[in-house]
Amino acid sequence: MARDASIRVVLADDNLIVREGVRALLLIAGDIEVVGVAGDYDELVAGADALTPQVVVTDIRMPPNFTDEGIRAARLIRKQYPGTGVVILSQYDEPEYAISLLSEGAAGYAYLLKDGVAEGDQLARAVREVSAGGSMLDPRIVNALTKPVTDGGSLSDSDERLLQMVAEGRPMKSIAVAINSTAEAVSDAVEHLFLQLAQQASSGTQSALQRLRLLHRAIVDREEQGESLSRMLPGGLAQKLREQGVKPGETERLTVTVLMSDIRAYSTIAEVADPSVLAGQLHEHRAEMNHALLGENGTVMQFVGDAVMAVFGAPFPQADQCERAVAAAEAMHARQAELNARWAAAGLPPFHLGIGVSTGDVAAALLGSDERLEYSVVGDAVNLAQRLQQWAEGGQTVLSDPTFAALSPPPHAERLEPALVKGRQTPVGAHRLGTALVAT
């Protein structure tokens, strides 16, 4: 297969010999290119950020703590660059690792055991599968997930309840109130419970080992909660959750600046493009747009197809939110122009962006269900930004009147005659920045 059609992979393992062996297996496939390697969590995250691979292949346990750095890095990379495939290579066949990996869905994930990757083309097949959004599990993991525990290491119902409350991080006094006891009695019960689990684990009781692992993981998760939230949620929201205790469905009224971008004539491009090649272009596009927005402290809300939405002024107010939004739009056009120049050399079609920016009041909240929550802003400013981007040709940004009025000094812009937009009964005034590159 031609080199330019190769699947781009970043490979991570702290063991140099293992890493180079896996690299050799990948190169044999012919359609896979290892574009970068990493030996720890930070190197993996930085490598994925700089190289924007289509797939990450990583060990579970790496420096600095040798716990589950590979899984946590994979989740962060998927959060920053949706669509990136992940192949976890592990020497551990405990099912809880696979459960942790797949807790948010199996699409784009594979979990393989290291001692089996050299058999046939299992590793290459996994890379191809996750690059296309599929998934793969080692058969031994499937067996472990479906095999019932029958080793006789069960706890009483009261001990199970006690263990659960300890794992939740509840203080002894709180547990005592819940079970109608005293803090001293609870402390003694917890000590006895841990001794019982330790004795069972020492004798090889699998369920006791699993409970101790899960308890340890719960404690580590609490200690890392702030760091994990910061990686998984939009900028600043984790801090707000910790400091102010924002509850799901609880709304906050804010004045924000909303930015919406869209690729002009994307449907026409998609009609004739190879889907896998187009997916690679879209992956690179999203990564560059993400950098541009974060560079101006914008909050990236979502990627939907070829569209990008971001807000400035949420979850925390920004006095210069309009200036930052306009600067981010300029950076997005500039970064896309650099991408287009590189794509031209490979014979790929360019993307040209139309961007709309609107300022106004919104309601911000964590919305969704118990199973899935996301940070959302709701209001006319959101709808208007989407309509204004439709007035922008490739390379242009259209600003609402309130956004333009807040800029100091005002940029050179074309004043658009007030016109109706879908869903509004009164005409909308706007200003257009930039020179058109292509017709919409």
Side-chain angles (χ1 to χ4, degrees):
M1 186 175 290
R3 193 66 169 174
D4 60 4
S6 296
I7 301 171
R8 293 164 50 84
V9 170
V10 165
L11 169 63
D13 196 300
D14 64 294
N15 187 309
L16 176 61
I17 296 175
V18 172
R19 190 169 69 227
E20 291 307 308
V22 173
R23 188 213 290 258
L25 286 173
L26 291 172
L27 294 179
I28 290 173
D31 60 341
I32 299 172
E33 179 184 6
V34 178
V35 297
V37 296
D40 58 33
Y41 175 94
D42 291 333
E43 288 182 0
L44 174 54
V45 172
D49 188 50
L51 300 169
T52 60
Q54 292 162 272
V55 175
V56 168
V57 178
T58 178
D59 187 17
I60 290 182
R61 298 182 180 181
M62 296 186 295
N65 298 318
F66 292 95
T67 54
D68 63 348
E69 285 80 5
I71 290 177
R72 290 191 290 110
R75 286 176 172 165
L76 174 59
I77 293 166
R78 286 280 291 251
K79 180 72 175 179
Q80 293 179 329
Y81 306 107
T84 304
V86 174
V87 178
I88 295 289
L89 299 181
S90 175
Q91 65 189 49
Y92 307 101
D93 62 358
E94 294 94 336
E96 58 262 32
Y97 284 111
I99 292 171
S100 176
L101 176 68
L102 306 176
S103 61
E104 297 176 1
Y109 283 114
Y111 190 109
L112 304 179
L113 298 182
K114 287 182 178 179
D115 61 7
V117 296
E119 299 173 2
D121 62 345
Q122 184 188 56
L123 179 57
R125 285 191 293 109
V127 169
R128 297 183 192 112
E129 190 73 24
V130 299
S131 71
S135 61
M136 181 183 291
L137 283 177
D138 189 287
R140 285 167 291 180
I141 293 296
V142 176
N143 181 61
L145 286 169
T146 57
K147 180 181 178 181
V149 176
T150 58
D151 58 14
S154 60
L155 299 176
S156 67
D157 291 343
S158 60
D159 282 345
E160 289 283 9
R161 185 185 179 199
L162 179 60
L163 185 63
Q164 179 64 36
M165 288 188 283
V166 171
E168 291 171 355
R170 297 176 62 170
M172 295 298 173
K173 290 182 179 179
S174 174
I175 297 175
V177 172
I179 64 174
N180 194 27
S181 182
T182 65
E184 292 76 12
V186 169
S187 179
D188 290 342
V190 170
E191 183 176 349
H192 175 75
L193 175 60
F194 277 24
L195 178 60
Q196 180 182 349
L197 287 173
Q199 290 173 340
Q200 291 178 359
S202 297
S203 64
T205 303
Q206 187 64 30
S207 60
L209 287 169
Q210 185 173 357
R211 285 187 177 92
L212 287 174
R213 289 193 195 102
L214 295 177
L215 180 61
H216 175 261
R217 181 69 265 161
I219 295 171
V220 171
D221 283 346
R222 287 201 310 276
E223 293 175 347
E224 297 177 348
Q225 183 182 35
E227 181 182 1
S228 298
L229 282 173
S230 297
R231 290 171 179 157
M232 296 175 66
L233 297 173
L237 182 58
Q239 179 184 348
K240 193 160 192 169
L241 284 170
R242 293 195 302 271
E243 294 177 355
Q244 302 178 18
V246 178
K247 298 178 181 178
E250 186 176 79
T251 61
E252 178 182 21
R253 191 178 182 88
L254 297 171
T255 299
V256 302
T257 299
V258 182
L259 181 151
M260 292 272 197
S261 78
D262 193 76
I263 299 171
R264 307 292 81 162
Y266 180 77
S267 297
T268 301
I269 297 172
E271 183 179 4
V272 298
D274 181 300
S276 61
V277 175
L278 183 59
Q281 286 187 267
L282 196 59
H283 179 75
E284 291 187 78
H285 162 75
R286 289 181 176 183
E288 292 299 324
M289 299 307 100
N290 196 58
H291 284 303
L293 291 162
L294 294 181
E296 294 295 334
N297 290 328
T299 300
V300 180
M301 302 298 291
Q302 58 182 328
F303 295 96
V304 181
D306 60 311
V308 180
M309 174 185 172
V311 297
F312 297 79
F316 291 108
Q318 292 172 311
D320 57 348
Q321 60 179 266
C322 294
E323 287 83 357
R324 288 185 176 277
V326 173
E330 293 175 350
M332 291 168 72
H333 287 305
R335 284 178 175 269
Q336 188 57 54
E338 293 175 359
L339 271 182
N340 290 342
R342 190 163 78 242
W343 289 346
L348 299 176
F351 289 174
H352 295 300
L353 308 180
I355 298 177
V357 181
S358 172
T359 302
D361 292 341
V362 300
L366 282 171
L367 301 177
S369 65
D370 291 340
E371 292 78 21
R372 179 177 176 83
L373 287 171
E374 64 179 25
Y375 187 62
S376 301
V377 292
V378 179
D380 181 61
V382 179
N383 300 330
L384 184 56
Q386 182 178 10
R387 301 306 177 195
L388 292 179
Q389 65 85 12
Q390 295 172 350
W391 289 0
E393 297 183 8
Q396 295 181 336
T397 300
V398 175
L399 312 178
S400 69
D401 277 350
T403 303
F404 185 80
L407 300 175
S408 181
H412 177 69
E414 174 191 0
R415 169 66 180 172
L416 301 180
E417 289 296 325
L420 290 173
V421 298
K422 184 177 180 181
R424 276 187 166 234
Q425 298 179 351
T426 57
V428 172
H431 293 74
R432 185 156 51 200
L433 309 176
T435 302
L437 300 175
V438 294
T440 56

